[in-house]
Amino acid sequence: MKFDFTSLLKSEIKPALGVTEVGAIALAAARAYDAVGGTLLHIQMVMNGGMYKNAFSCAIPGTEELGCEMAAALGALGGDWKLGLEVLKNINADHVAQAKALSIPIEIEVDETKDSIYIFAEVTTTKGVGLCRIEDFHANIVYVAKDDEVLFEGEKTEVTAAKGDIIDFEAVTVADMVDYAKNVPMEELDCIKGMIEMNCQLSAEGEKGVGLGIWKTLSAFQNKGALGNDMIYAAQKLTCSAMDARLAGLPFAAMSIVGSGSHGILCSMPVVSYGRYMEKSEEEIIRAVALSGLITIYSKHYTGRLSALCGCVLGGGSGAASGIVYLMGGGAKEVSAAMDHMAANLTGMICDGGSTGCALKASAGVYSAYLSAMLAMEGVEIPHNFGVIGSSAEQTEKNLGRISDEGMAPMDTTIIDVMKKGR
């Protein structure tokens, strides 16, 4: 069976400025305001729990501000909804000052009945009420209205890949994805080349010193002789610098995958770092990142785009482990083993929203991806049907989906409650 993996990658790999949940909130507010214009009087945002959680402590790109309320205010005041998840690209200090000076109510509500991505923005101004609804995908505007006049309502504005419109995920195997990475014509992988270039540029900005500065701490201990200047150190430096830049709110885009810049960084940077460390060709690196991207999308199909599990390390990290295995000369058997190692190691790591702390999780994900790849290449496999590990890597990913949907769903409610009351 032939699968259109090229279209799948192109539909899921997109530039995103800042954490995508902040961008999505700003996008909804910007579109609602654009529908009506006028002077702001009131902003009300209703969203699913995962959206609220991920944006709660998140830096607004190009500013020193945080969170859902500021994202909504800046979106309404100066956002350009036509830029999608780069909606805040043109925000400046004047917009921030205006947002801080607003004396209007900005209400943020969580709709606990919504399991998937959902944002409803209601922006009231001197000229009326603008409405915008986003569903299923971060930039998927499905409804726009001014007062009682519907301006837009219709089909999905993005390809609903996660629902199988492009790929029958139940029929896909790891071997199919490995075969694609090996044989796809290079001209079909321009989006992967773009991902590598953009995320490396972001890493270079983060290396200047923002966020937690994880690589600087590692470098300090490496200079003391306590750490080696090895392939894992190099990968953590490249990856964590990009994560620090993104999560600190620097005004530079990340190339996201499945709606997440963190996933895009983690599924690409460790693979690129290993390829360059081992002096692999550009073509080999691009093919390896393509495989990593497919494994990430495959994993997230089952665990969901927003969940209580940290998809960055389990989805993007499993992709990275697979891409590294590819560059090490492994095939479908070794890729499957590496995916199982990641599941055995990091299942249970919670997602407590987008923040500078995500760089710490990414660092752990990088180490685990390399360890998983090395174990797989040495012929070490987690026995099937141990714990969360299924009879195959494909079944393991389905098991993780059950853990995310059934087992950890109450966890999100608790995390959100802690966020609201724990300050």
Side-chain angles (χ1 to χ4, degrees):
M1 182 182 295
K2 180 176 174 57
F3 301 99
D4 190 358
F5 289 128
T6 298
S7 293
L8 180 64
L9 288 169
K10 289 180 178 179
S11 73
E12 293 286 14
I13 295 175
K14 300 178 184 297
L17 185 63
V19 173
T20 43
E21 283 70 44
V22 168
I25 291 169
L27 175 62
R31 186 65 185 97
Y33 175 80
D34 185 74
V36 65
T39 302
L40 290 171
L41 299 175
H42 180 258
I43 299 174
Q44 183 175 20
M45 309 290 295
V46 181
M47 62 196 71
N48 65 298
M51 182 66 59
Y52 174 86
K53 178 188 69 175
N54 276 26
F56 183 82
S57 300
C58 191
I60 310 295
T63 78
E64 296 181 357
E65 308 304 316
L66 303 171
C68 304
E69 291 87 352
M70 186 58 69
L74 288 174
L77 284 168
D80 183 352
W81 70 269
K82 294 178 183 177
L83 297 178
L85 291 178
E86 294 185 276
V87 58
L88 298 179
K89 184 176 182 178
N90 298 319
I91 291 294
N92 56 42
D94 289 339
H95 294 119
V96 174
Q98 292 173 39
K100 288 183 173 182
L102 283 176
S103 58
I104 65 170
I106 301 178
E107 300 179 48
I108 307 294
E109 299 179 16
V110 175
D111 187 340
E112 296 181 357
T113 68
K114 302 297 184 182
D115 295 326
S116 60
I117 291 171
Y118 177 88
I119 307 171
F120 184 76
E122 180 178 302
V123 177
T124 304
T125 76
T126 53
K127 292 188 176 181
V129 179
L131 305 171
C132 174
R133 189 171 72 247
I134 288 174
E135 293 185 23
D136 296 331
F137 297 86
H138 290 75
N140 191 35
I141 296 173
V142 297
Y143 177 84
V144 180
K146 175 183 179 181
D147 297 322
D148 295 328
E149 179 187 359
V150 177
L151 303 180
F152 171 79
E153 184 176 24
E155 297 180 359
K156 304 296 185 183
T157 56
E158 290 188 11
V159 180
T160 53
K163 294 185 177 180
D165 289 4
I166 294 178
I167 295 291
D168 178 4
F169 285 94
E170 294 297 318
V172 169
T173 66
V174 172
D176 292 326
M177 292 182 275
V178 172
D179 182 68
Y180 169 84
K182 287 182 177 179
N183 297 303
V184 60
M186 282 298 294
E187 59 266 23
E188 295 187 28
L189 296 180
D190 285 345
C191 64
I192 300 297
K193 186 176 181 180
M195 169 182 267
I196 293 170
E197 292 173 352
M198 181 173 287
N199 289 343
C200 283
Q201 289 170 1
L202 185 66
S203 180
E205 294 298 330
E207 194 176 327
K208 297 175 183 178
V210 292
L212 295 180
I214 289 175
W215 85 265
K216 286 191 173 182
T217 296
L218 294 174
S219 180
F221 279 84
Q222 190 267 329
N223 290 335
K224 295 175 184 177
L227 291 173
N229 189 11
D230 56 21
M231 63 181 183
I232 297 178
Y233 168 80
Q236 288 181 319
K237 177 179 178 179
L238 187 67
T239 305
C240 294
S241 293
M243 291 289 289
D244 275 331
R246 176 175 182 264
L247 296 160
L250 292 191
F252 303 96
M255 192 67 83
S256 71
I257 193 167
V258 290
S260 169
S262 292
H263 288 57
I265 290 168
L266 195 53
C267 89
S268 60
M269 294 296 90
V271 182
V272 171
S273 181
Y274 178 80
R276 292 176 177 175
Y277 191 90
M278 300 302 294
E279 299 182 345
K280 300 293 183 177
S281 69
E282 181 183 19
E283 177 175 337
E284 289 175 299
I285 293 172
I286 290 172
R287 290 184 180 279
V289 174
L291 174 61
S292 178
L294 288 176
I295 296 295
T296 300
I297 295 167
Y298 182 82
S299 175
K300 293 297 291 182
H301 171 73
Y302 292 104
T303 60
R305 292 180 177 243
L306 297 176
S307 71
L309 287 174
C310 177
C312 176
V313 298
L314 275 172
S318 294
S322 302
I324 294 165
V325 164
Y326 180 93
L327 289 174
M328 289 177 171
K333 182 177 184 293
E334 291 78 17
V335 168
S336 296
M339 292 168 67
D340 281 344
H341 291 318
M342 290 294 292
N345 190 1
L346 295 176
T347 297
M349 181 181 283
I350 65 167
C351 170
D352 58 347
S355 71
T356 54
C358 292
L360 285 169
K361 292 184 174 72
S363 179
V366 170
Y367 178 82
S368 183
Y370 273 72
L371 178 60
S372 297
M374 290 187 289
L375 287 169
M377 292 304 294
E378 288 297 305
V380 178
E381 298 181 52
I382 294 285
H384 290 162
N385 299 312
F386 271 41
V388 301
I389 306 305
S391 57
S392 64
E394 293 86 354
Q395 185 59 48
T396 297
E397 297 305 317
K398 295 174 185 177
N399 293 347
L400 294 182
R402 284 196 60 198
I403 291 167
S404 178
D405 292 341
E406 301 171 28
M408 296 188 71
M411 179 75 76
D412 252 358
T413 302
T414 301
I415 292 170
I416 292 168
D417 192 54
V418 168
M419 287 177 161
K420 289 179 177 179
K421 298 177 180 178
R423 285 188 167 184

